[in-house]
Amino acid sequence: MQTKTALETKNLQVLYGEKHVAHDINLKFPQNQITALIGASGSGKSTVLRSLNRMNDDFATVKGEINFHGVNINQPKVNVYRVRQQIGMVFQQPTPFPMSIYENVIYGLRLTGEKDRRVLDQRVEESLRQAALWDEVRDQLKASALALSGGQQQRLCIARTLAVRPEIILMDEPTSALDPVSTSQIEDTLVQLKKHLTIIMVTHNMQQASRSADWTAFMHQGHLIEFDKTDTIFMNPHEQKTADYLSGKFG
Amino acid sequence: MRPERVDRLATVIVLSLAGIVGMVVFSLLIYILAMGIPHINWHFLTAEAESFSAGGGIRDQLFNSLYLVVLTLIVSVPLALCAAIYLSEYAPANRWTQGLRLAIEVLSSLPSVVVGLFGYLVFVLQFGFDFSLLAGALALTILNLPILTRSCEDALRQVPYLQRQAGLGLGMSKWRVTTKIVLPAALPGIITGTILSAGRIFGEAAALIYTAGQSSPAINYADWNPFSPTSFLNPLRPAETLAVHIWKVNSEGLVPDARAVSNGSAAVLIITILLFNLIARYAGHRIKQHLTK
Ligand SMILES: Nc1ncnc2c1ncn2[C@@H]1O[C@H](COP(=O)(O)OP(=O)(O)OP(=O)(O)O)[C@@H](O)[C@H]1O
Ligand SMILES: [Mg+2]
């Protein structure tokens, strides 16, 4: 079965100054699927992930192509703000803004100039429902987002990213700061979300990768070692390094 | 020695040193207040100063001090804020930025007499502002800028890096992230820093003697036209401030009650600065509460 590709990198290289931290990364992220990026600490997972929506522009040199809808978005003339609305990002730590839950969710939408109250209200509900947070906060939308628990805050950040209706969401260890209950809530949320969009997620949690990801890419010292269906990677990897990593020989 | 003994000893030393500092500060404060408060009354606060006879007040000096603080803040806050935003959000880590920081550091350790004389030469003589509130406000701005810039920069830096990332990740431009996310979050710190700096410049004398001047011509509090020469709002009139008044009454005062006037003025000065500090804490606290409510 061949799924459509949502995003594709060709010979992606990332350098911090002289330090080469990602070499020749060629990846095709399948549409409406969850792809996990795994690998030891310092292997360059975050670096690659952050390059995908040009969040590394300020500190790193990113070479190669990142193709999105047939356009190489790794070019100076491409509008990065538009790119980041299409390819959203959720971080390791929840990052709610110090304002109400409602305002947090529609923050990105306000940037696009949307003022119609009904559209905003409707989008808040839709995004919070998709992030599986609606039932918990529907009665306190005007309350400060900072009063929510860590897991709720993280789902709020997911809702905030969803509210601009991106096609792809990048997540950098989205549950590593959360307890097991919140983690499994978010994992369930992700599985629901892939109906609407494509998810690319960095994780150190092997169970998480095997539970929720359809595809898994294994990185080692800045190189992409293996990229395949999650089952294949975990059950019978083709590369010895992958097998060694998964069996805990290093990392 | 056993760790507990070392710990106890260190605690005792630290506490007693802190106690000494606290004692010095408190006894000074209490001394000034005790000497001054008996002379403070409604008449003292609302009467004009006398040149030769006893019973003069500090109405104009008090007003001048406050007005000068306002003028200074109007000039220095936007400048300091822009500089702080540049330094914390935009400045690349290179030689030029280092040089800029060094310059700010040096500026902040400039003695205020030097700033006063510089102001006299540049603002009073060169620019032809004469002895005036404007010249005084500009001199105070020089004095205030480095510290205010630093405290604004600190407030901006306190905002977690991830908040900026989150904004950028939503597709906001850097400028937008700065004004819509970083600045509001830093506001409590910026306001506290501004009010504290107001307290600091409120008590400044040396920088003002040759810039805002030492005379207080009759001013009319009913004249709201800032261009009229006798208006209390006119920024081009000379204006003796409270701190300058204390210095002058003590050094060349001809009034028979010079001691009483200077003690009373000193107490008013201290109380006002105390108020600035209390307001700063309260304002910062309230805004923070409001933001996290
Ligand atoms: N801003 C930066 N400047 C310079 N070097 C960096 C920067 N960020 C990361 N690096 C380096 O790039 C390499 C890859 O880092 P990266 O954060 O991508 O790893 P990672 O796989 O996400 O690791 P982890 O699992 O610990 O998050 C590391 O050697 C790191 O030291
Ligand atoms: Mg990482």
Side-chain angles (χ1 to χ4, degrees):
Chain A
M1 181 198 75
Q2 196 58 46
T3 46
K4 278 171 74 184
T5 298
L7 192 74
E8 177 189 24
T9 66
K10 275 195 183 152
N11 299 330
L12 188 75
Q13 322 241 1
V14 189
L15 296 93
Y16 291 109
E18 298 286 292
K19 190 165 148 203
H20 211 145
V21 295
H23 309 263
D24 280 325
I25 308 290
N26 291 292
L27 277 167
K28 283 187 179 174
F29 297 101
Q31 198 167 359
N32 295 98
Q33 304 263 284
I34 300 176
T35 302
L37 287 180
I38 61 170
S41 205
S43 56
K45 306 178 297 292
S46 302
T47 301
V48 168
L49 190 78
R50 294 163 46 82
S51 301
L52 297 180
N53 72 345
R54 310 256 318 253
M55 293 286 286
N56 266 343
D57 278 15
D58 283 350
F59 357 81
T61 319
V62 183
K63 297 185 203 156
E65 288 180 27
I66 301 169
N67 293 318
F68 180 58
H69 287 296
V71 178
N72 175 14
I73 55 171
N74 190 28
Q75 300 180 76
K77 65 168 195 246
V78 169
N79 180 337
V80 288
Y81 311 117
R82 200 65 59 69
V83 166
R84 290 175 193 159
Q85 279 165 12
Q86 303 279 306
I87 308 179
M89 185 136 202
V90 174
F91 301 85
Q92 186 169 3
Q93 302 282 337
T95 54
F97 299 138
M99 49 187 81
S100 71
I101 294 172
Y102 186 94
E103 286 299 323
N104 259 283
V105 178
I106 58 168
Y107 208 87
L109 213 54
R110 283 213 192 279
L111 291 175
T112 62
E114 183 61 65
K115 289 209 174 63
D116 187 341
R117 200 80 212 171
R118 270 171 320 177
V119 175
L120 295 175
D121 284 351
Q122 179 266 332
R123 196 69 71 85
V124 166
E125 177 167 349
E126 172 193 300
S127 314
L128 286 171
R129 276 191 194 283
Q130 286 181 342
L133 188 59
W134 175 252
D135 293 331
E136 288 160 60
V137 301
R138 59 187 304 171
D139 300 322
Q140 39 163 333
L141 294 176
K142 295 276 173 278
S144 168
L146 303 183
L148 296 174
S149 75
Q152 289 175 323
Q153 287 185 356
Q154 191 64 311
R155 277 178 284 149
L156 178 68
C157 294
I158 295 176
R160 184 174 67 190
T161 307
L162 290 173
V164 290
R165 294 196 171 144
E167 291 180 32
I168 302 176
I169 296 192
L170 311 175
M171 299 182 160
D172 197 345
E173 303 182 43
T175 59
S176 67
L178 305 179
D179 66 280
V181 175
S182 309
T183 299
S184 76
Q185 277 171 330
I186 289 193
E187 284 173 13
D188 293 345
T189 309
L190 299 187
V191 173
Q192 290 300 312
L193 281 177
K194 71 178 182 187
K195 290 180 198 143
H196 313 281
L197 37 77
T198 305
I199 296 169
I200 305 172
M201 165 174 74
V202 168
T203 181
H204 273 288
N205 181 334
M206 292 307 126
Q207 275 98 39
Q208 180 165 65
S210 61
R211 269 193 308 256
S212 35
D214 304 291
W215 295 76
T216 297
F218 169 62
M219 285 190 66
H220 181 60
Q221 295 178 350
H223 294 273
L224 175 67
I225 305 295
E226 191 168 357
F227 174 50
D228 214 320
K229 280 252 164 76
T230 300
D231 295 341
T232 312
I233 294 277
F234 280 85
M235 301 306 193
N236 44 34
H238 294 105
E239 299 291 330
Q240 188 58 40
K241 279 211 180 81
T242 315
D244 289 350
Y245 177 69
L246 290 172
S247 62
K249 289 223 176 82
F250 65 88
Chain B
M1 268 192 289
R2 285 178 308 155
E4 307 91 86
R5 303 261 323 248
V6 178
D7 191 45
R8 192 147 345 127
L9 193 68
T11 311
V12 167
I13 293 174
V14 168
L15 279 184
S16 33
L17 288 179
I20 293 172
V21 174
M23 288 263 287
V24 171
V25 172
F26 265 103
S27 41
L28 260 175
L29 201 65
I30 288 170
Y31 176 75
I32 294 172
L33 291 178
M35 297 296 285
I37 286 180
H39 301 291
I40 302 176
N41 53 40
W42 189 242
H43 173 80
F44 183 67
L45 292 176
T46 56
E48 279 180 56
E50 295 289 345
S51 303
F52 306 107
S53 53
I58 53 165
R59 178 191 70 185
D60 297 345
Q61 285 74 14
L62 186 56
F63 173 76
N64 287 341
S65 288
L66 291 169
Y67 189 36
L68 198 55
V69 166
V70 171
L71 288 177
T72 306
L73 291 183
I74 290 176
V75 184
S76 54
V77 169
L79 287 175
L81 202 54
C82 288
I85 288 175
Y86 174 75
L87 284 172
S88 99
E89 309 298 317
Y90 289 90
N94 59 17
R95 284 262 171 92
W96 150 252
T97 309
Q98 275 174 7
L100 198 65
R101 278 182 203 286
L102 191 70
I104 292 175
E105 204 94 340
V106 170
L107 204 62
S108 74
S109 47
L110 220 54
S112 52
V113 191
V114 174
V115 173
L117 289 174
F118 174 82
Y120 175 67
L121 288 175
V122 175
F123 305 132
V124 175
L125 299 181
Q126 193 70 33
F127 291 1
F129 293 157
D130 284 332
F131 289 132
S132 64
L133 282 163
L134 182 60
L138 293 177
L140 287 186
T141 296
I142 295 180
L143 216 54
N144 196 24
L145 262 185
I147 305 164
L148 192 56
T149 302
R150 179 92 60 75
S151 65
C152 289
E153 192 192 342
D154 284 346
L156 292 169
R157 281 188 190 281
Q158 297 266 315
V159 181
Y161 181 64
L162 265 176
Q163 290 272 308
R164 296 174 172 82
Q165 293 274 294
L168 291 176
L170 279 177
M172 298 172 82
S173 66
K174 186 148 183 180
W175 177 244
R176 223 162 159 150
V177 169
T178 304
T179 52
K180 300 278 167 166
I181 294 177
V182 181
L183 213 50
L187 204 59
I190 291 172
I191 290 185
T192 310
T194 304
I195 302 178
L196 288 178
S197 83
R200 224 174 293 122
I201 54 180
F202 186 81
E204 181 53 44
L208 292 175
I209 292 170
Y210 294 110
T211 52
Q214 308 166 37
S215 60
S216 249
I219 46 177
N220 179 358
Y221 287 94
D223 187 350
W224 286 80
N225 175 7
F227 300 104
S228 146
T230 55
S231 166
F232 68 113
L233 291 176
N234 186 348
L236 287 174
R237 67 181 170 84
E240 184 193 32
T241 66
L242 204 54
V244 173
H245 190 57
I246 295 173
W247 171 77
K248 206 172 138 204
V249 167
N250 270 309
S251 60
E252 52 193 49
L254 298 174
V255 289
D257 58 348
R259 260 224 105 84
V261 170
S262 84
N263 285 345
S265 302
V268 171
L269 195 82
I270 291 280
I271 291 170
T272 314
I273 293 173
L274 224 56
L275 280 178
F276 274 124
N277 282 265
L278 290 177
I279 293 170
R281 280 168 174 243
Y282 180 73
H285 181 69
R286 275 310 292 267
I287 297 169
K288 203 170 257 171
Q289 249 180 1
H290 180 76
L291 284 177
T292 51
K293 181 181 58 166

